[in-house]
Amino acid sequence: MILWILGLATLALYLSFILMKNGAWRSLWVGLSLVVLVGSLALLHFNDSNHFGMKQVTKSTTQVIYSASPSKQLPLLLYQNVGTSGKHTVYIYKTSAKGKATHTKADYTVTNLVAKAQPTTAQVTTTRKEWVYKSGFYRALFNNENNHAVIRVTNTFQLPKTWTALTTQQAKQLAKRMKAMQQPTAAQKAKAAAAIEKQVAAALAKNPKADAATVTKQVTAAYQAAQIQAVIKAVKGNND
């Protein structure tokens, strides 16, 4: 609407200044057209520079996310730096178990955080702060321009204890090491068996009435989990 007003004011100024004879009516129309013209330009300027007629609103949405890793036993939240400055990082995940991987937007208005909270399911809360028009009048006046313009977007990831956040390069290193773990040497098998046997003996000594098979299963699972965590720690410490 403001562009139409600006155009009509310009036309009225031209016609009154060129076609009308000198007199009070001519002066009135020239002055009125000039006021409307300058006022329209000022409104456009203030809307563009100071968001005149607009207000800030904040909206938050939370959704469950799924690992971008193919391994169900080792869910991962992947991230990667964009550019050489290291100021922008994108996080890679899925919004459905069988869907394609998606990622956060790489933009100076976007901030990504990994919270310390540990929920039962992985989730991301997106808080979006934006400019919107105060009323339908202002929206129509400025032809809906710059409506929902982003001020700041914050993605806060909350991960269960079973999840790990790694860079894409670290994830590749982890995959190689995990593959090697699945094909242990005879010496590695013997070392693992000895460690498990020692822990089982210690557990049974503390609780002689416990079922040996159950204890062995639990100790084996805990030993394997500890080995995986050790590999993850090693990968995270490797900056290559």
Side-chain angles (χ1 to χ4, degrees):
M1 186 188 297
I2 191 70
L3 295 178
W4 282 99
I5 295 174
L6 180 62
L8 290 174
T10 303
L11 180 61
L13 178 63
Y14 172 78
L15 293 177
S16 60
F17 191 81
I18 300 299
L19 299 182
M20 295 183 71
K21 297 180 180 180
N22 289 330
W25 281 106
R26 181 175 184 266
S27 298
L28 176 64
W29 277 102
V30 169
L32 182 61
S33 301
L34 189 60
V35 168
V36 174
L37 176 62
V38 173
S40 299
L41 289 173
L43 288 176
L44 282 171
H45 169 72
F46 288 123
N47 174 255
D48 186 60
S49 61
N50 297 320
H51 300 93
F52 174 77
M54 307 183 81
K55 61 181 180 180
Q56 295 182 13
V57 297
T58 302
K59 300 178 181 179
S60 293
T61 57
T62 300
Q63 70 174 146
V64 175
I65 61 172
Y66 299 85
S67 172
S69 166
S71 173
K72 294 182 179 180
Q73 291 74 29
L74 191 60
L76 301 175
L77 176 64
L78 303 179
Y79 63 95
Q80 182 174 351
N81 291 330
V82 178
T84 57
S85 65
K87 294 182 178 180
H88 302 296
T89 302
V90 295
Y91 281 78
I92 306 166
Y93 57 95
K94 291 181 180 180
T95 55
S96 63
K98 297 182 179 179
K100 293 183 179 180
T102 186
H103 60 80
T104 57
K105 187 177 180 180
D107 194 277
Y108 71 94
T109 62
V110 178
T111 301
N112 299 304
L113 304 172
V114 178
K116 293 182 179 179
Q118 295 180 330
T120 55
T121 58
Q123 57 190 33
V124 57
T125 298
T126 300
T127 302
R128 180 184 175 95
K129 190 175 184 180
E130 60 187 17
W131 290 104
V132 298
Y133 282 103
K134 295 179 179 179
S135 65
F137 168 76
Y138 286 113
R139 187 165 55 249
L141 179 64
F142 294 106
N143 197 33
N144 209 37
E145 287 291 327
N146 298 321
N147 201 20
H148 299 291
V150 175
I151 301 171
R152 173 65 59 187
V153 175
T154 302
N155 298 306
T156 303
F157 293 91
Q158 295 181 332
L159 307 177
K161 292 181 179 180
T162 54
W163 279 58
T164 303
L166 295 176
T167 67
T168 52
Q169 187 61 34
Q170 288 171 341
K172 291 179 181 178
Q173 295 176 18
L174 179 61
K176 291 180 180 179
R177 297 198 183 197
M178 291 295 292
K179 186 177 180 180
M181 284 181 62
Q182 294 174 358
Q183 299 174 338
T185 62
Q188 289 172 333
K189 287 181 180 180
K191 181 180 178 181
I196 292 172
E197 183 179 354
K198 182 178 179 180
Q199 292 178 31
V200 169
L204 291 175
K206 289 183 178 180
N207 186 10
K209 295 182 179 181
D211 181 66
T214 301
V215 172
T216 301
K217 185 177 180 181
Q218 292 173 344
V219 169
T220 301
Y223 179 85
Q224 292 174 343
Q227 292 297 105
I228 292 173
Q229 290 304 313
V231 171
I232 292 174
K233 185 177 180 180
V235 166
K236 283 187 172 183
N238 187 355
N239 296 321
D240 293 338

